[in-house]
Amino acid sequence: HTHTHTHSSLCNAHTMGVLKDPAIERWAVMRESTNKFFKWTPRTVGLSVLWGVVVPLAIYELSVREMETRDRLENKPKRDFPSLRKL
């Protein structure tokens, strides 16, 4: 009679409000209080540099190379993009 139990649970959910998942509630509390417990560690510094500097620069460089390749293939004049390759 699992069906009956599930049905009664759903009926209670409709009359009592939303069913809450304890794991989701713990995650929500953690997300809301991250600023209170955050600490800079070698790992968080590394991840910040990776996602805040390395990934954006890599995307930019790939975009510049793509535009330069298209310009060359379409015989357009060379544009001067700022680039790490010129350092």
Side-chain angles (χ1 to χ4, degrees), residues 9-74:
S9 295
L10 290 174
C11 289
N12 288 338
H14 289 297
T15 58
M16 301 294 291
V18 177
L19 288 174
K20 294 184 178 185
D21 183 335
I24 293 175
E25 293 300 313
R26 285 191 306 272
W27 177 83
V29 168
M30 180 197 70
R31 292 288 298 154
E32 291 168 4
S33 60
T34 299
N35 60 324
K36 296 177 188 173
F37 303 106
F38 178 80
K39 290 187 172 116
W40 285 106
T41 64
R43 182 176 187 271
T44 56
V45 170
L47 288 172
S48 297
V49 169
L50 174 69
W51 294 106
V53 178
V54 175
V55 169
L57 284 176
I59 292 170
Y60 175 77
E61 284 295 322
L62 290 171
S63 299
V64 166
R65 288 180 188 202
E66 174 68 18
M67 289 186 287
E68 288 173 344
T69 300
R70 284 178 181 259
D71 286 350
R72 191 173 58 254
L73 292 173
E74 295 171 4

